[in-house]
Amino acid sequence: IYMKELVLLGQRYAALSVAHPHVTAAATAGGILCLADITCQLTLERRSGGPLDARRTAALTAFGAWHYGWPAKSLYLLYDHLLDARLFGAANAVAKVFLDVYLHTPLLLIPSFYLITMMARGSTAADTLARLRREWRTASFGCALFWTPLCLVNFWIVPQHSRIVVVAVFSF
């Protein structure tokens, strides 16, 4: 693909994301997480000789579409609304990182991930909640380590219309 076509594709995506932010974020994140899971199953888990776990792929796709399309996109828009007129530059990005990584992730994203993906794969509510309780601290700490620097760059440099793309790509 030529540079001119990539720029045009990026401009079209940006316009679509501005016009339809939630639907675009849902389709983007759902599609990327779907491809990520299929890639993982075919390469890292070496399932090329056996069947794909379609239920797992569907669960991750549903989580990506739901969570990044509505709660996460809504929060990203809210962060801008609340903070862009009050804080600038690094202070703005750091405030958004704090809200996203240290509040949104442990209190909404991680529980949502466990509930959607485990129940879609057939776990009971009791088993899902027990596993979430058991793994919540480790998952929250790991997410904070991984996402803090990435979200700092995302909130500081990346325009609003492409932030979900960045998060979904790094989730790959």
Side-chain angles (χ1 to χ4, degrees):
I1 296 179
Y2 298 104
M3 186 57 80
K4 185 177 176 182
E5 284 81 10
L6 282 175
V7 169
L8 184 60
L9 180 63
Q11 290 170 342
R12 287 182 179 165
Y13 180 85
L16 186 62
S17 183
V18 170
H20 307 284
H22 297 286
V23 173
T24 305
T28 300
I32 290 172
L33 288 180
C34 177
L35 290 173
D37 188 60
I38 291 170
T39 301
C40 182
Q41 288 188 51
L42 292 176
T43 58
L44 299 176
E45 296 174 8
R46 310 233 187 253
R47 290 189 185 206
S48 56
L52 290 175
D53 184 346
R55 198 170 190 180
R56 181 180 104 175
T57 301
L60 286 169
T61 302
F63 167 75
W66 160 250
H67 187 80
Y68 292 108
W70 279 268
K73 185 63 178 184
S74 295
L75 287 170
Y76 282 18
L77 292 167
L78 181 64
Y79 299 160
D80 284 357
H81 177 75
L82 294 176
L83 298 172
D84 284 359
R86 293 171 178 84
L87 297 170
F88 303 96
N92 181 288
V94 168
K96 291 175 183 175
V97 167
F98 174 78
L99 293 170
D100 198 54
V101 175
Y102 298 97
L103 295 177
H104 161 232
T105 298
L107 301 177
L108 181 60
L109 184 141
I110 291 171
S112 183
F113 176 82
Y114 275 77
L115 291 172
I116 292 170
T117 60
M118 288 187 66
M119 295 196 66
R121 293 179 69 195
S123 292
T124 65
D127 289 343
T128 299
L129 291 173
R131 185 168 176 186
L132 173 60
R133 284 187 190 107
R134 214 173 37 252
E135 297 176 2
W136 180 82
R137 279 191 178 103
T138 302
S140 296
F141 183 71
C143 283
L145 291 176
F146 181 79
W147 287 110
T148 297
L150 291 171
C151 283
L152 184 61
V153 171
N154 198 21
F155 288 122
W156 198 346
I157 297 171
V158 178
Q160 171 61 257
H161 58 72
S162 294
R163 289 179 184 155
I164 294 294
V165 175
V166 170
V167 170
V169 165
F170 278 98
S171 294
F172 196 101

